[in-house]
Amino acid sequence: GQSLEQPSEVTAVEGAIVQINCTYQTSGFYGLSWYQQHDGGAPTFLSYNGLDGLEETGRFSSFLSRSDSYGYLLLQELQMKDSASYFCAVRTPGGFKTIFGAGTRLFVKA
Amino acid sequence: AAGVIQSPRHLIKEKRETATLKCYPIPRHDTVYWYQQGPGQDPQFLISFYEKMQSDKGSIPDRFSAQQFSDYHSELNMSSLELGDSALYFCASSLRSDYGYTFGSGTRLTVV
């Protein structure tokens, strides 16, 4: 089976940098993804790491270490609109299912 | 750009009734996924379809069934509804080769 662990809550101030960690245990691995979800909204795909290393997309970066079964999402220059839940997710081999972690609720304060 | 369309947006049903949720994926996407999300919880995978054939199955109750039609739209049928079925139901679509999914706005089902 698959299990993912991430912190339940993180609080940071506007303009700061925050890192959300994710560790996973899977019977098969096909990449680590990150999704953002605002209250009452739909999950939105942010990034994907299939190989070790850092992927950068604007203010967001994501990192993966497959040997450590670990990844993180880095958010820079935090804005109030970044307040949301962030889910790490593992896509299973075959690619027809993605399992989500419990989510990290990010609060950005002025 | 076209998005994933779900209908209805809100649905209120009584216990033991049935409900049908519809999903219209992004054109040319070959895979559809259904997720259930309870309040404060992560999306739970229910089922997926690739090219109109069931491709994977998660923790979907036997009371639920789903299918994908020739025009690629998908329906989730839920029978003998229980209070615990109250949740947001998301449909998502992608190309099988895509890294991420595009989610619809969801259907909020309330069972009373």
Side-chain angles (χ1 to χ4, degrees):
Chain A
Q2 290 84 20
S3 70
L4 299 97
E5 289 192 14
Q6 52 182 129
S8 58
E9 274 187 22
V10 173
T11 301
V13 297
E14 242 183 327
I17 300 172
V18 71
Q19 178 174 313
I20 300 174
N21 299 319
C22 174
T23 57
Y24 60 88
Q25 283 186 309
T26 63
S27 55
F29 182 76
Y30 197 60
L32 186 71
S33 302
W34 289 91
Y35 287 80
Q36 177 193 62
Q37 185 178 31
H38 288 96
D39 284 346
T44 302
F45 173 71
L46 292 177
S47 68
Y48 170 84
N49 295 76
L51 301 174
D52 290 354
L54 191 68
E55 294 286 340
E56 298 180 72
T57 310
R59 294 188 297 115
F60 295 179
S61 304
S62 58
F63 171 83
L64 175 66
S65 168
R66 288 175 295 170
S67 61
D68 295 322
S69 297
Y70 163 76
Y72 66 72
L73 179 69
L74 192 74
L75 298 86
Q76 303 181 75
E77 301 173 17
L78 280 174
Q79 303 175 8
M80 298 296 288
K81 68 178 182 180
D82 297 328
S83 293
S85 292
Y86 292 85
F87 295 92
C88 59
V90 169
R91 196 158 182 179
T92 58
F96 295 123
K97 176 167 68 177
T98 293
I99 304 300
F100 287 75
T104 298
R105 192 162 180 87
L106 172 64
F107 297 94
V108 180
K109 303 188 301 183
Chain B
V4 177
I5 307 298
Q6 290 187 246
S7 67
R9 289 297 307 275
H10 301 274
L11 191 58
I12 300 175
K13 290 286 186 178
E14 295 189 355
K15 282 193 304 184
R16 294 180 289 278
E17 284 192 317
T18 62
T20 297
L21 310 185
K22 296 186 177 183
C23 170
Y24 296 85
I26 291 174
R28 292 184 297 282
H29 277 187
D30 53 23
T31 312
V32 167
Y33 316 82
W34 285 96
Y35 282 83
Q36 177 193 58
Q37 188 175 30
Q41 297 183 357
D42 55 290
Q44 292 288 314
F45 174 76
L46 294 177
I47 196 166
S48 62
F49 292 88
Y50 170 67
E51 287 292 348
K52 294 164 282 187
M53 298 289 289
Q54 182 181 309
S55 50
D56 211 332
K57 201 170 180 179
S59 49
I60 182 169
D62 292 341
R63 299 177 290 107
F64 294 6
S65 65
Q67 56 183 325
Q68 188 175 27
F69 295 87
S70 57
D71 64 352
Y72 286 85
H73 94 273
S74 179
E75 294 184 2
L76 178 66
N77 299 291
M78 310 158 71
S79 63
S80 303
L81 286 169
E82 302 173 357
L83 295 178
D85 296 329
S86 295
L88 260 174
Y89 290 83
F90 287 106
C91 170
S93 74
S94 75
L95 287 171
R96 186 183 175 187
S97 56
D98 286 342
Y99 294 140
Y101 302 167
T102 302
F103 280 78
S105 298
T107 294
R108 184 173 294 281
L109 173 66
T110 303
V111 182
V112 298

